[in-house]
Each structure stands twice: as structure tokens, then as C-alpha cells.
Amino acid sequence: MCQMNAKMHFRLVFALLMVSFNCDVLGKNLKYRIYEEQRVGSVIARLSEDVADVLVKLPYPPAVRFRAMQRGNSPLLVVNEDNGEISIGAKIDREQLCQKNLNCSIEFDVITLPTEHLQLFHIEVEVLDINDNSPQFSRSLIPIEISESAAVGTRIPLDSAFDPDVGENSLHTYSLSANDFFNIEVRTRTDGAKYAELIVVRELDRELKSSYELQLTASDMGVPQRSGSSILKISISDSNDNSPAFEQQSYIIQLLENSPVGTLLLDLNATDPDEGANGKIVYSFSSHVSPKIIETFKIDSERGHLTLFKQVDYEITKSYEIDVQAQDLGPNSIPAHCKIIIKVVDVNDNKPEININFMSPGKEEISYIFEGDPVDTFVALVRVQDKDSGLNGEIVCKLHGHGHFKLQKTYENNYLILTNATLDREKRSEYSLTVIAEDKGTPSLSTVKHFTVQINDINDNPPHFQRSRYEFAISENNSPGAYITTVTATDPDLGENGQVTYTILESFILGSSITTYVTIDPSNGAIYALRIFDHEEVSQITFVVEARDAGSPKQLVSNTTVVLTIIDENDNVPVVVGPVLRNNTAEISIPKGAESGFHVTRIRAIDRDSGVNAELSCSIVAGNEENIFLIDPRSCDVHTNVSMESVPYTEWELSVIIQDKGNPQLRTKVLLKCMIFEYAESVTSTAMTSVTQASLDVSMIIIISLGAICAVLLVIMVLFATRCNREKKDTRSYNCRVAESTYQHHPKRPSRQIHKGDITLVPTINGTLPIRSHHRSSPSSSPTLERGQMGSRQSHNSHQSLNSLVTISSNHVPENFSLELTHATPAVEQVSQLLSMLHQGQYQPRPSFRGNKYSRSYRYALQDMDKFSLKDSGRGDSEAGDSDYDLGRDSPIDRLLGEGFSDLFLTDGRIPAVEEEQESKGGIYKQTDGWRRS
């Protein structure tokens, strides 16, 4: 019993792997073995472990899921989608599942998800038999009648026992209880079934013993061994001399499986030499034949005709073994036995069967895939089979319907239906496919099965406007909330993927958000006005409408531009801008001597409208009954029609109407008071004023005003930049010669003298040189000392500038001139010596030419002043410091001198404003705008 339980729970762990490659799809056969009757939920295998070598080649193995492709609401085996664990889903009874077939297995297919990297595994689980059934006889009591004259060796077939188990667990042998007259012999039929024949081993004597009861036992070889028994009740009858005899002891018949019912199979002919009742033969099936034979065949008891009573099927039973007996009607008759073996011949009578498994169980004949899926996406699994054998069972499978799908064979009679192209639901949302399975028999039989492939939508289409730019028009003075137009975008996707929402992208018009002008209904794209439009304020509104779907995972958008033109309406009256009106009245002066055609005035009017609404015309409607004045309706020029000397009146009041050409027309009425002046001067002035006023134009006034404003701003910017530049620079150059020449030729500047004694250097801490400036209100005014301290940086710059001046001077003075300037020399003496040099004319700049550069000493003197260029400018005109410099022009030496003196005389970083002072003889004077040499 323990050994049996061990077998019950035994699970064979090995798997026979058969791998075949077909394109990109890997087909792999996995075989397992289990025993029947195992507990529900028992685990058979784990695919995640058994096919790990295949999964490791996939992009992301941990994300792989498993899906069993099998039909039925309660399958015997179930597959866990997460780890591919195969377990028992319902009780498995091998005898009920496969009956007496030696090979019993459960087959199904498993695919991996997602299908982008589809892997197909064919699972075959062999169900092994356990010895859970005992051999059984159909009758517990088997009656047998034997004549006492039966010869030794007479054989009588006995009832067979039935054991639904297979292999060693099936029926193995028979045994008979111990006796002296009978024995049994175990024999095997053509179908493998075993039966026993009763053999007479000693002569019988009815008078000694008329009956026997023996136990017939049938047993298997299973563990534990099981058996079943029946009682043989043997009756000994009186003798009958002759028994019937068959022509043959056995017959073999070939029977086509499609033979109709009633077909004559065999005409049995047994003979009995006896006469009368002892010679009349009756035919029948032996008592031990199975009920299946009695249901399928029929024997005529009188004539011995064996006929077909029920149509046979080769796929169910391939052969039959029938025991027939012939017995006369005499007393103590001994029957004769004959064996008939009927072999069923296969014919092509079974059409191929087609089973289609889809990814979505529960919905028959419909497969769902998403648009945009790549080529070779899994659609369905097809399995075909034919119960016939040989060529009758060989199947050719084909797929019809559309070239976007293909049929790919994996193994045996299993096929995959895959996509052959990327599908677009918007072009076609459904495909009808047909699978045709045809065998190779004669005649050929075929089966056709239809199914539908529905394409699921994805958000792959953005909303689409018919145009990228829409132009609409609306009249001004509309009411707020007025409907303008509708822009519509279409999205061929389904559901939320095709649900479009409209918005207006943010923009600004005259500083205001576009959403203050227009709005849009997000559901249908209807555009409405939010305010009263004014053509004179905004003549055109341009904005962008965005259409966005509600798809996932990413919403798609598209834009279109809407141009809204505001149509002008005649809603502005003409406005008179000239001549100047007071209380809608203008006074016009006309000289007394004005002749006919004299230009009196021009009425200038503007209309904010546009187009014909702004086209103006003038006319005199009152006060000109004598036609003294004429007015040009287009230019609105008023002229005299007669000489003023001939007119007896001196004043006129002319009513002039200025009106546009809009619909309705709008007009403005003005009153012109025309007066005659006697004086010629006044007349001339007035006439000139009129002519001047007539010639001016409003646009010209605006242009002149803007130009003046820009000029003033430019001047302010230049002044500001100049002041900032002066404040930021510590060292500046000043050209004494330029200043001298400029000042001498300046017509409005008087000559002033500046004396050396006016410049006083006051020593302070850190060696800085504050400057005392002398402001003279009169020749006798005394100088005032303004003390201030400069930073160490300014002091350093001042000494540096002075040293530069000395260096430059030493490089450009006559060779016999000697000047010693050191830090020990008082600053006043240094300045005095330099001023003396300039005054006496001993210092003359003398450039040293070496190619196009100055001498080394000159360049060394300027090495700290990088703003001067010692190279040729590269332009045609000579610049200071260029090799082609003219001595009559400004020199960088002059600028350096000016800059050095500026640094020396800076107070608080700026040049103090002093009155122009000049030495009486060739001195140097200083003013607010720089140094000049007299």
C-alpha cells in the first residue's frame, strides 16, 4: 500500500525537449508523465524553470507571462500565467479519458505574453495507469452443458473477464479451481484480449456425476495484484452421436468501415450427418462474446448468415473477433465452434477537424489585436487532426482571406496565424479569415472554418483640421457673445482616442490676452466673440486653435491658425482738424484785393473709418446763395468765385457739410466766418498764413515731432555716455594742439590767461596731489584752496601718467636737452619744467620711423597705455600714432600730455570748472572742457 501511494504521488521530473525553429517563433515540445487519480492542485512542472534557456534570450525575461491555449470550461490541467506552473485542475481518470489505449496523454499549447516576442511550447502530459480496477466477469454464474460422450481434449470457450487498466495492471491470466476432469488454457485474441478455454481432460460419466461447480478466477499483475472470479456450473448431459462441423475452424474477413448496415459478411455452412432433429443445425454467438459484438453484428440462426447490424468505425475499433457455435437440436447435442476475425479497413470517411484558439477566451470565432502591432504578431493557434490513417489522415492546411496574415507551421499539425504587415484600424477595422484543412485521401475531404480578426484602436492619429489656416470676417460693433464660426478637427480614432477638445493658445493683442477677445467651445470648436469689436482699434485678430484628443498614454494635438478680419462699419463721423474750430466755427480772413480763384482755406477732416466709409466730400449748404465762394468736394479747398473788391459785403457765414460715403452716410457741419480786411500788411500776412496752413499736413507735423523727440533723446544719450566715460577713466589723453587750434578759432570764447602760480600742489598723506583751483570773479580776486584727498589708486595713476609724460618727452626732445624728473623733484617744479618746455618751443614731437612702426623707446613708453595704436590703421586716412602721421595733425604725444595734466589736476575724480585763464605770453590755460595752449 505504501508503495502504491509512492507511485500515486510520484511525478516524473524529466522533460523530453524537441526544439524546432520556424522564422522568429520558437516551437518547443515538453513531455511530462503523471499518474492518474492524483490530488487536484498537485504541481506537475514549472515552465519558468524548464524553458529558462529560451526565456533568457528574450529582452526582459521577468516580465514574461504564460497563457494556455486549450478549450473547455474546466480543463484537467491549468497553467499559472505568472510562473507557468502546470497543476492538476480536475480529477484525472485514465480509464475514462483513454479507455484501453496504451498511450494516454493530455496535449495543449502554451504561448508567452506579450506576443511581441512570441514563444510557443507544446505540452504533452502522459497519464500513467495505476492498478485501481479489478478484472470482472460479465456473469457471476456461467452455465455450461457438456455431453457425457465428449472426447478428451474437447475445448469450450469461456466468458472473458474485463479489466479497464492497461499494461501490467490489466488482465493477465485465468485460473480454475482444482478438479480431476477439467482444465483451462489461456489464449490471446488478435486485439490483445485474453480469454480461457475449458478443456476436458478425462472421460465424463453422467451416471457417476451429473454436474460440477468450479471457480474461474481472472487476475492481473498490478501492485497490489487484483482479481475477479465467476462460477462455472457444468452440467453433464446424455450423449448425441454426431455433432455439427464447420468447413473451417476460423475465418478472416476484410470489412470496409463505410459498409452499410445489412452487409452480408459470411455465410456459415456447418454440416451434421444425423437425421431429423439430430441433424438440424442452429447458429448462434458463443455465450462469452462481448455485448459490443452482439450490438454490431447479427447471425441468422437458421441459415448461418453473418451480417452487419451496426456501422463500424476504423478509428474506434480496428478488428473484431467473433466466436460462433453451431448446435443440432438433438438431445445431448455437442456444439461446434468457429472463430471469425473481422478486420476493419480504413476509408477516407472522416473530415479533418480544425480547432482555433484565440488570445481572448470566451468569445468564439473572434480574435483581437491592436493596430500598429509589429509584423509576426500572434493572432491565433490552429490545430488540425484527422481520425483517418495513412494518406487519409495527412492534412494540408491553408489560410485564405487577406495578405496581411500568414499561416506558419510549428510542429506536426499545429499552426500559428501571424500578422504579415502592420495593420491600421482606420483603414480597415475587421478581417474575415478562413482556415481550410484538406486531407490527401481519395476522394479528398476538407473542412472550412471561418473566424474574424478585429483590430483594436490605439491613439495613433492626431486631430486633423481640413485647413492649416482659416479666414473669417465679422462686422464691428457686434454684440458680446456673438457666434463667429466653427472650426472642426476630425480624429479617426475611437472612444477617448478620437474625442477632440478645442482650446485657444495664449497670445496678446494690444497688450490684452486673446481670451478677452474670443472664446471657443471645447466640445465642438464653435468660436464666440467676448467683446464688441472696433475696426478702428483692431482690424484683424489672429490666433491659434489647438485640437487635443483624450487618448492615452499620450494625448495628440494639432493646431490651426484662425484669422478674423473685423469689417468696418460707418460708425465714425468726420472730424475737422483744420482750420481751428471754436464752437464748431472757424474764422477766416480774406484780403480786400483778393481776386477770383483766391484760395480762402482748406477744410481738413479725418474719418477713423476705412474704405468708402472714410472717403469724404465737402459742400456749402448755406450762406453762399450768391455763389461768391466755390468749394472743391474732394480736396475741400475754398476759393473765391469773384473779386472781393466787387462784393459789397465784408462778412459771410458759410455752412459747410463734410460727409462720408458710408451707408448710412455720416456728416459733420461747420460754420466758416469769412471776413474782409482792408490793410495790405494784414492781408498779406493773412494770405500767407492761409497758404501756409493749407500746405501743412497732419502727417508731416507728426513726423517732424517724432524726429525732434528722437534728436533730443540722442543728444541726451551722447551727453550721458560722455559723462560716464569721463567718470570711469582714471587716465585720459588731451591734445593741447587740437585744443589750442580749436579754441583760437572759436568765435565766442574770450582769451584767458592761466599763470603757473595759479596751480598749487598741496602735499597730503600717501603722496596724493589735491589741486587748488582759482576762480576769479575779478582780476583782484584771490585764489581759494579746495582741499581734497584722492585715493592711493588715483595717486598711483597720477605719478604713472607723469612718468609717461617724462618718458615721452625724453624720447622726443633734442638730444642735447636734459631734464631730470624724479619722485624727489617737487611736483610744482616738474610741472613748471614741462610748461617751460612747451612755452619755449623746446619740445617738438619727433616720431622715429622704423618701417610702419615707431621706435622701440616710443613703444616702451606707451606699453601701459593700450588704447593707442602704434600700427597703421589700415585705412586711407592717417591717424595719430600711424607711421604716416603728419606733424601738422594731432599727436598721441599731445593726448598723453593732456591726459597727464588732467590726472595731475583731478579733484575728486573730475576736472573742476574754472574761469578761463591765460598767461600773457604763450602760457597754458585751463577751462571746464580741457587744456588749451595760447
Coordinates of all heavy atoms in Angstrom, one line a residue, residues 802-854:
L802 N 52.5 111.0 -15.1 CA 53.6 112.0 -15.1 C 54.9 111.3 -15.6 O 55.6 111.8 -16.5 CB 53.9 112.5 -13.7 CG 54.9 113.6 -13.6 CD1 54.6 114.8 -14.5 CD2 55.1 114.1 -12.2
N803 N 55.2 110.1 -15.2 CA 56.3 109.3 -15.6 C 56.2 109.1 -17.1 O 57.2 109.1 -17.9 CB 56.5 108.0 -14.9 CG 56.9 108.3 -13.4 OD1 57.5 109.3 -13.1 ND2 56.6 107.3 -12.6
S804 N 55.0 108.8 -17.6 CA 54.8 108.5 -19.0 C 55.1 109.8 -19.8 O 55.7 109.8 -20.9 CB 53.4 108.1 -19.3 OG 53.1 106.9 -18.6
L805 N 54.7 110.9 -19.3 CA 55.0 112.2 -20.0 C 56.5 112.4 -20.0 O 57.0 112.9 -21.1 CB 54.3 113.3 -19.2 CG 52.8 113.4 -19.3 CD1 52.2 114.4 -18.4 CD2 52.3 113.6 -20.7
V806 N 57.1 112.2 -18.9 CA 58.6 112.4 -18.9 C 59.3 111.5 -19.9 O 60.1 111.9 -20.7 CB 59.1 112.2 -17.5 CG1 60.6 112.2 -17.5 CG2 58.6 113.2 -16.6
T807 N 58.8 110.2 -19.9 CA 59.4 109.3 -20.8 C 59.2 109.7 -22.3 O 60.1 109.6 -23.1 CB 58.8 107.9 -20.6 OG1 59.0 107.5 -19.3 CG2 59.5 106.8 -21.5
I808 N 58.0 110.1 -22.6 CA 57.7 110.5 -23.9 C 58.5 111.8 -24.3 O 59.0 111.9 -25.4 CB 56.2 110.8 -24.1 CG1 55.5 109.4 -23.9 CG2 55.9 111.4 -25.4 CD1 54.0 109.6 -23.8
S809 N 58.6 112.7 -23.3 CA 59.3 113.9 -23.6 C 60.8 113.6 -23.9 O 61.4 114.2 -24.8 CB 59.2 114.8 -22.4 OG 57.8 115.1 -22.2
S810 N 61.3 112.7 -23.1 CA 62.8 112.4 -23.2 C 63.0 111.7 -24.5 O 64.2 111.8 -25.0 CB 63.2 111.5 -22.1 OG 62.6 110.3 -22.1
N811 N 62.0 111.1 -25.1 CA 62.2 110.4 -26.4 C 62.0 111.4 -27.6 O 62.2 111.0 -28.7 CB 61.3 109.2 -26.5 CG 61.7 108.1 -25.7 OD1 62.8 107.9 -25.4 ND2 60.7 107.4 -25.1
H812 N 61.5 112.5 -27.3 CA 61.1 113.4 -28.5 C 61.7 114.8 -28.3 O 61.2 115.8 -28.9 CB 59.6 113.5 -28.6 CG 59.1 112.1 -29.0 ND1 58.8 111.2 -28.0 CD2 58.7 111.6 -30.2 CE1 58.3 110.1 -28.6 NE2 58.2 110.4 -29.9
V813 N 62.7 115.1 -27.4 CA 63.3 116.4 -27.3 C 64.6 116.3 -27.9 O 65.2 115.2 -28.2 CB 63.4 116.8 -25.8 CG1 62.1 116.9 -25.2 CG2 64.3 115.8 -25.0
P814 N 65.2 117.4 -28.2 CA 66.6 117.4 -28.8 C 67.5 116.6 -27.9 O 67.4 116.5 -26.7 CB 66.9 118.9 -28.9 CG 65.6 119.6 -28.9 CD 64.7 118.8 -28.1
E815 N 68.5 116.1 -28.6 CA 69.5 115.2 -28.0 C 70.3 115.9 -26.9 O 70.7 115.3 -25.9 CB 70.4 114.5 -29.0 CG 69.7 113.7 -30.0 CD 70.6 113.1 -31.0 OE1 71.8 113.4 -30.9 OE2 70.2 112.3 -31.8
N816 N 70.5 117.2 -27.1 CA 71.3 118.0 -26.1 C 70.5 118.5 -25.0 O 71.0 119.2 -24.1 CB 72.0 119.1 -26.8 CG 71.0 120.1 -27.5 OD1 69.8 119.8 -27.5 ND2 71.5 121.2 -28.1
F817 N 69.2 118.2 -24.9 CA 68.3 118.7 -23.9 C 68.3 117.7 -22.7 O 68.1 116.4 -23.0 CB 66.9 118.9 -24.4 CG 66.0 119.5 -23.4 CD1 66.0 120.8 -23.0 CD2 65.1 118.6 -22.7 CE1 65.2 121.3 -22.1 CE2 64.2 119.1 -21.8 CZ 64.3 120.5 -21.4
S818 N 68.4 118.2 -21.6 CA 68.4 117.3 -20.4 C 67.4 117.7 -19.4 O 67.3 118.9 -19.1 CB 69.8 117.3 -19.7 OG 69.8 116.5 -18.6
L819 N 66.6 116.8 -19.0 CA 65.5 117.1 -18.0 C 65.5 115.9 -17.0 O 65.4 114.8 -17.4 CB 64.2 117.2 -18.7 CG 63.0 117.4 -17.8 CD1 63.1 118.7 -17.0 CD2 61.7 117.4 -18.6
E820 N 65.6 116.2 -15.8 CA 65.6 115.2 -14.7 C 64.3 115.4 -13.9 O 64.0 116.4 -13.3 CB 66.8 115.4 -13.8 CG 68.1 115.1 -14.5 CD 69.2 115.2 -13.5 OE1 69.0 115.5 -12.3 OE2 70.4 115.0 -13.9
L821 N 63.5 114.4 -14.0 CA 62.2 114.3 -13.2 C 62.2 113.0 -12.4 O 62.3 111.9 -13.0 CB 61.0 114.3 -14.2 CG 60.8 115.6 -15.0 CD1 59.6 115.4 -15.9 CD2 60.5 116.8 -14.0
T822 N 62.2 113.2 -11.2 CA 62.2 112.0 -10.3 C 61.1 112.2 -9.3 O 60.5 113.3 -9.2 CB 63.6 111.9 -9.6 OG1 63.8 113.0 -8.8 CG2 64.7 111.7 -10.6
H823 N 60.9 111.2 -8.5 CA 59.9 111.3 -7.5 C 60.4 112.3 -6.4 O 59.5 112.8 -5.7 CB 59.7 109.9 -6.8 CG 59.0 109.0 -7.8 ND1 57.7 109.1 -8.1 CD2 59.5 107.9 -8.5 CE1 57.3 108.1 -8.9 NE2 58.4 107.4 -9.2
A824 N 61.7 112.5 -6.4 CA 62.1 113.5 -5.4 C 61.9 114.9 -5.8 O 61.9 115.9 -5.0 CB 63.6 113.3 -5.1
T825 N 61.7 115.1 -7.1 CA 61.5 116.5 -7.6 C 60.1 116.9 -7.2 O 59.2 116.2 -7.4 CB 61.7 116.5 -9.1 OG1 62.9 116.0 -9.4 CG2 61.5 117.9 -9.7
P826 N 60.0 118.1 -6.6 CA 58.7 118.6 -6.2 C 57.7 118.7 -7.5 O 58.2 118.9 -8.6 CB 58.9 120.0 -5.7 CG 60.4 120.0 -5.3 CD 61.1 119.1 -6.2
A827 N 56.5 118.4 -7.2 CA 55.5 118.3 -8.3 C 55.4 119.7 -9.0 O 55.3 119.7 -10.2 CB 54.2 117.9 -7.7
V828 N 55.5 120.8 -8.2 CA 55.4 122.1 -8.9 C 56.6 122.3 -9.8 O 56.4 122.8 -11.0 CB 55.4 123.2 -7.8 CG1 55.4 124.6 -8.4 CG2 54.2 123.0 -6.9
E829 N 57.8 121.9 -9.5 CA 58.9 122.1 -10.3 C 58.7 121.2 -11.6 O 59.1 121.6 -12.7 CB 60.2 121.7 -9.6 CG 60.5 122.7 -8.5 CD 61.8 122.3 -7.8 OE1 62.5 121.4 -8.3 OE2 62.1 122.9 -6.7
Q830 N 58.2 120.0 -11.4 CA 58.0 119.1 -12.5 C 57.1 119.8 -13.5 O 57.3 119.8 -14.7 CB 57.5 117.8 -12.1 CG 58.4 117.0 -11.2 CD 57.8 115.7 -10.7 OE1 56.8 115.3 -11.3 NE2 58.4 115.1 -9.8
V831 N 56.0 120.3 -13.0 CA 55.0 120.9 -13.9 C 55.6 122.1 -14.5 O 55.4 122.4 -15.7 CB 53.7 121.2 -13.1 CG1 52.8 122.0 -14.0 CG2 53.1 120.0 -12.6
S832 N 56.3 122.9 -13.8 CA 56.9 124.1 -14.3 C 57.9 123.8 -15.4 O 57.9 124.5 -16.4 CB 57.6 124.9 -13.1 OG 56.7 125.2 -12.1
Q833 N 58.7 122.8 -15.2 CA 59.7 122.5 -16.3 C 59.0 122.1 -17.5 O 59.3 122.5 -18.6 CB 60.6 121.4 -15.8 CG 61.5 121.8 -14.6 CD 62.5 120.7 -14.2 OE1 62.9 119.9 -15.1 NE2 62.8 120.7 -13.0
L834 N 57.9 121.3 -17.4 CA 57.2 120.8 -18.6 C 56.5 122.0 -19.3 O 56.5 122.1 -20.5 CB 56.2 119.8 -18.2 CG 56.8 118.4 -17.9 CD1 55.6 117.5 -17.4 CD2 57.5 117.8 -19.0
L835 N 55.9 122.9 -18.5 CA 55.3 124.1 -19.0 C 56.3 125.0 -19.7 O 56.0 125.6 -20.8 CB 54.6 124.8 -17.9 CG 53.4 124.1 -17.3 CD1 52.8 125.0 -16.2 CD2 52.3 123.9 -18.4
S836 N 57.5 125.1 -19.1 CA 58.5 125.9 -19.7 C 59.0 125.3 -21.1 O 59.2 126.0 -22.0 CB 59.7 126.0 -18.8 OG 60.8 126.7 -19.4
M837 N 59.0 124.0 -21.1 CA 59.4 123.4 -22.4 C 58.4 123.7 -23.4 O 58.7 124.0 -24.6 CB 59.5 121.8 -22.2 CG 60.6 121.4 -21.4 SD 60.5 119.6 -20.9 CE 60.3 119.0 -22.6
L838 N 57.1 123.6 -23.1 CA 56.1 123.9 -24.1 C 56.1 125.3 -24.5 O 55.9 125.7 -25.6 CB 54.7 123.5 -23.5 CG 54.5 122.0 -23.3 CD1 53.2 121.8 -22.6 CD2 54.5 121.2 -24.6
H839 N 56.4 126.2 -23.5 CA 56.3 127.6 -23.8 C 57.5 128.1 -24.7 O 57.3 128.9 -25.6 CB 56.3 128.4 -22.4 CG 56.5 129.9 -22.6 ND1 55.5 130.6 -23.2 CD2 57.5 130.7 -22.3 CE1 55.8 131.9 -23.2 NE2 57.1 132.0 -22.7
Q840 N 58.6 127.6 -24.4 CA 59.8 128.0 -25.2 C 59.9 127.3 -26.5 O 60.8 127.6 -27.3 CB 61.1 127.7 -24.3 CG 61.1 128.5 -23.0 CD 62.3 128.1 -22.2 OE1 63.2 127.3 -22.6 NE2 62.4 128.7 -21.0
G841 N 59.1 126.3 -26.7 CA 59.1 125.6 -28.0 C 60.2 124.6 -28.1 O 60.6 124.2 -29.2
Q842 N 60.8 124.3 -27.0 CA 61.9 123.3 -27.0 C 61.4 121.9 -27.2 O 62.2 121.0 -27.6 CB 62.7 123.4 -25.7 CG 63.4 124.7 -25.4 CD 64.1 124.7 -24.1 OE1 64.0 123.8 -23.4 NE2 64.7 125.9 -23.8
Y843 N 60.2 121.7 -27.0 CA 59.7 120.3 -27.1 C 59.0 120.2 -28.5 O 58.0 120.9 -28.7 CB 58.7 119.9 -26.0 CG 58.0 118.7 -26.2 CD1 58.7 117.5 -26.0 CD2 56.7 118.6 -26.6 CE1 58.1 116.3 -26.2 CE2 56.1 117.5 -26.8 CZ 56.7 116.3 -26.6 OH 56.1 115.1 -26.8
Q844 N 59.5 119.4 -29.3 CA 58.8 119.2 -30.6 C 58.7 117.7 -30.8 O 59.7 117.0 -30.8 CB 59.6 119.8 -31.8 CG 59.7 121.3 -31.8 CD 58.3 121.9 -32.0 OE1 57.5 121.2 -32.7 NE2 58.1 123.1 -31.6
P845 N 57.5 117.2 -31.0 CA 57.4 115.7 -31.2 C 58.2 115.3 -32.4 O 58.0 115.9 -33.5 CB 55.9 115.5 -31.3 CG 55.3 116.7 -30.7 CD 56.2 117.8 -30.9
R846 N 58.9 114.3 -32.3 CA 59.7 113.8 -33.4 C 59.6 112.3 -33.5 O 60.2 111.6 -32.8 CB 61.2 114.2 -33.2 CG 62.1 113.7 -34.3 CD 63.5 114.4 -34.2 NE 64.0 114.2 -32.8 CZ 64.6 113.1 -32.4 NH1 64.8 112.1 -33.3 NH2 65.1 113.0 -31.2
P847 N 58.7 111.9 -34.4 CA 58.5 110.4 -34.5 C 59.7 109.7 -35.1 O 60.4 110.3 -36.0 CB 57.3 110.3 -35.4 CG 57.3 111.5 -36.2 CD 57.8 112.6 -35.3
S848 N 60.0 108.6 -34.6 CA 61.0 107.7 -35.2 C 60.4 106.7 -36.0 O 59.6 105.9 -35.6 CB 61.9 107.1 -34.0 OG 62.4 108.1 -33.2
F849 N 60.8 106.7 -37.3 CA 60.2 105.7 -38.2 C 61.1 104.5 -38.4 O 62.3 104.6 -38.6 CB 60.0 106.3 -39.6 CG 59.0 107.4 -39.6 CD1 59.3 108.7 -39.5 CD2 57.6 107.1 -39.8 CE1 58.4 109.7 -39.5 CE2 56.7 108.1 -39.8 CZ 57.1 109.4 -39.7
R850 N 60.4 103.3 -38.2 CA 61.1 102.1 -38.5 C 60.1 101.2 -39.2 O 59.3 100.5 -38.6 CB 61.6 101.4 -37.2 CG 62.7 102.1 -36.6 CD 63.3 101.3 -35.4 NE 64.4 102.0 -34.8 CZ 65.1 101.5 -33.7 NH1 64.7 100.3 -33.2 NH2 66.0 102.2 -33.2
G851 N 60.1 101.3 -40.5 CA 59.0 100.6 -41.2 C 57.7 101.4 -41.0 O 57.6 102.5 -41.3
N852 N 56.8 100.7 -40.5 CA 55.5 101.3 -40.3 C 55.2 101.4 -38.8 O 54.1 101.5 -38.3 CB 54.3 100.6 -40.9 CG 54.2 99.2 -40.4 OD1 55.1 98.7 -39.8 ND2 53.1 98.6 -40.6
K853 N 56.3 101.4 -38.0 CA 56.1 101.4 -36.5 C 57.1 102.5 -35.9 O 58.1 102.8 -36.6 CB 56.4 100.1 -35.9 CG 55.5 99.0 -36.3 CD 55.8 97.7 -35.6 CE 54.9 96.6 -36.0 NZ 55.1 95.3 -35.3
Y854 N 56.8 102.9 -34.8 CA 57.7 103.8 -34.1 C 58.8 103.1 -33.5 O 58.9 101.8 -33.4 CB 56.9 104.6 -33.0 CG 56.0 105.6 -33.6 CD1 54.7 105.4 -33.8 CD2 56.5 106.9 -34.0 CE1 53.8 106.3 -34.3 CE2 55.7 107.8 -34.5 CZ 54.3 107.6 -34.7 OH 53.5 108.5 -35.2

